[in-house]
Amino acid sequence: METAKSIPLSGEFELFERMAEHEQVVFCNDPSTGLRAIIAIHNTTVGPALGGCRMHPYRSVEEALEDALRLSKGMSYKCAAAGVDFGGGKAVIIGDPKSDKSPELFRAFGQFINSLGGRFYTGTDMGTTMEDFIHASKETHYIVGLPVAYGGGGDSSVPTAAGVLYGIKATNQSLFGKPDLGGRTYAIQGLGKVGSKVAIGLLEEGAHLYVTDISHESLRIIEELASTTSGTVKVVGSEDIYSQEADVFVPCALGGIINDQTIEQFQVKAIAGSANNQLLNETHGRRLQQKGILYAPDYIINSGGLIQVADELYGINHARVLAKTRHIYDAILEVYEMAIKNGISTMEAANMMCDKRIENKRNRNGFFTTAMKPKWAFRK
């Protein structure tokens, strides 16, 4: 009989190699509702894992797993950068959000979340809504980002947009010696929930915008709003947005948009926006550095929404959330200074900063009084 040590590393064991950086990966299957989901918990050194749940018609289980692993690791860094006492996790549901959703599916998903006993908190992400998680919350307490009427903090795009504006101010401070938003030019890609709020905030300060979006209605609304401010708006094509001569490119739509093709087109001094996973891979962060383009790491500048859902577990307080969101300005400046000091890209500096914060908190989480413990500390 073969012992465990003598068993060769077959294809099945390669899965464990892929999960080597992660604490736990859970595959969820409920045939009665059609639920097929993956929950990835990257690191709980600082506290329970926290991360959204996205629903997408992945072409394979491999693709879904890769997304869950990549995104959950990103959440560990995002939580560390935001200074919240949570680790990184992510959930993905395999399915078309337009046709495969049902209340029963999300209740089944809620049961799987509950089975983890508080190791993972989740809420909305791409392809899911707050309403979906109203159903999930009937099966578990470990849901964040619910509507206000259901005890949640409500629309997280408000602090996310506020954080992006603070990040742009920090970028302007680094580039021009002052944080003022007005009088500068910005190329904004995407006018969704966050992008539209960022655009409005910039226009109110007298900024000049190039904008693009797949929604003609969103473009029309921004153009009309511009007429009531001292700022200006010019609509450009989706492919033309990369080559605009602006001070800052503000990506607020898809990920992977900083790649070999777009880097050659950029004529900006900096990139600072809300989109997740903006770099196709981290080598593109070094390419931006070589080209002299300052990059605000996405998981820091877009962390306002995370700050809100994490803070929600201490009790709803919007003033406290906005106060914490202001620290994004300081975090972005810290990354820029670290990158210059060490001669590395800003993405490498951000990762270095977050690794250090996680290590520093390894033996310190829990040193708070019972009166100050967040709600998650009491949940069983």
Side-chain angles (χ1 to χ4, degrees):
M1 177 182 288
E2 287 185 307
T3 64
K5 280 188 177 181
S6 66
I7 296 175
L9 190 65
S10 65
E12 289 85 352
F13 282 85
E14 290 176 7
L15 178 61
F16 285 92
E17 291 299 305
R18 292 178 64 185
M19 293 164 42
E21 290 187 73
H22 288 69
E23 293 180 9
Q24 186 177 11
V25 177
V26 180
F27 288 79
C28 312
N29 182 48
D30 186 65
S32 65
T33 63
L35 174 71
R36 293 181 299 164
I38 300 172
I39 301 167
I41 296 175
H42 178 255
N43 191 304
T44 58
T45 298
V46 179
L50 175 65
C53 170
R54 61 176 48 183
M55 187 171 186
H56 183 73
Y58 294 99
R59 293 170 293 182
S60 66
V61 174
E62 287 284 315
E63 185 180 54
L65 176 62
E66 185 63 31
D67 210 22
L69 294 176
R70 177 176 55 85
L71 292 168
S72 58
K73 180 179 179 180
M75 286 303 301
S76 287
Y77 286 113
K78 194 167 186 175
C79 288
V84 299
D85 289 332
F86 291 88
K90 206 74 174 183
V92 299
I93 296 175
I94 302 172
D96 188 337
K98 295 180 180 178
S99 58
D100 296 333
K101 286 184 180 181
S102 70
E104 292 76 22
L105 182 144
F106 278 92
R107 290 193 71 153
F109 180 66
Q111 290 177 330
F112 282 106
I113 295 297
N114 201 58
S115 72
L116 294 171
R119 280 177 54 77
F120 177 58
Y121 285 77
T122 193
T124 64
D125 200 330
M126 183 182 74
T128 61
T129 67
M130 288 190 289
E131 288 68 27
D132 296 328
F133 286 94
I134 291 173
H135 302 299
S137 69
K138 294 174 182 177
E139 303 291 341
T140 182
H141 294 298
Y142 307 117
I143 301 295
V144 292
L146 289 170
V148 174
Y150 288 83
D155 186 1
S156 62
S157 69
V158 175
T160 302
V164 172
L165 290 171
Y166 282 122
I168 295 174
K169 286 183 178 181
T171 300
N172 286 354
Q173 175 65 42
S174 183
L175 287 174
F176 310 115
K178 56 183 181 179
D180 301 7
L181 299 173
R184 301 293 175 188
T185 55
Y186 305 88
I188 304 180
Q189 181 187 49
L191 296 171
K193 285 185 178 181
V194 176
S196 61
K197 292 180 178 65
V198 171
I200 292 168
L202 291 171
L203 286 172
E204 289 175 345
E205 294 293 325
H208 306 291
L209 311 183
Y210 298 101
V211 298
T212 191
D213 194 274
I214 58 174
S215 169
H216 295 295
E217 180 64 12
S218 297
L219 293 169
R220 182 190 63 79
I221 291 172
I222 290 297
E223 284 184 297
E224 289 183 358
L225 284 170
S227 65
T228 66
T229 70
S230 57
T232 62
V233 165
K234 180 180 179 181
V235 175
V236 300
S238 59
E239 292 301 316
D240 296 329
I241 195 69
Y242 302 111
S243 57
Q244 298 304 311
E245 293 186 27
D247 291 312
V248 184
F249 174 59
V250 186
C252 297
L254 301 174
I257 49 83
I258 300 175
N259 51 54
D260 291 340
Q261 290 72 41
T262 58
I263 287 176
E264 294 305 313
Q265 299 177 59
F266 286 134
Q267 299 187 64
V268 293
K269 300 178 180 68
I271 298 175
S274 67
N276 287 311
N277 303 309
Q278 294 168 28
L279 301 175
L280 186 61
N281 59 61
E282 291 196 9
T283 63
H284 293 110
R286 292 190 285 275
R287 289 277 303 281
L288 290 176
Q289 178 196 18
Q290 293 163 3
K291 194 172 179 179
I293 297 176
L294 192 60
Y295 174 63
D298 49 10
Y299 65 73
I300 299 180
I301 194 171
N302 68 12
S303 62
L306 167 72
I307 291 170
Q308 174 167 298
V309 297
D311 192 78
E312 186 178 304
L313 294 168
Y314 295 79
I316 308 300
N317 187 317
H318 293 294
R320 186 172 63 211
V321 168
L322 291 177
K324 290 181 177 180
T325 302
R326 291 190 189 98
H327 290 297
I328 291 174
Y329 178 93
D330 302 313
I332 293 292
L333 284 181
E334 182 179 348
V335 166
Y336 290 163
E337 290 166 5
M338 185 181 295
I340 293 171
K341 180 180 178 181
N342 293 281
I344 57 179
S345 73
T346 54
M347 196 68 191
E348 290 169 319
N351 292 345
M352 182 187 298
M353 180 184 78
C354 293
D355 283 332
K356 183 178 179 181
R357 288 185 179 184
I358 292 171
E359 186 59 33
N360 287 344
K361 287 187 177 182
R362 184 173 297 278
N363 297 315
R364 298 191 179 277
N365 197 43
F367 283 80
F368 44 77
T369 65
T370 300
M372 288 300 293
K373 283 186 179 181
K375 293 179 181 179
W376 58 258
F378 297 101
R379 289 179 176 172
K380 302 293 183 184

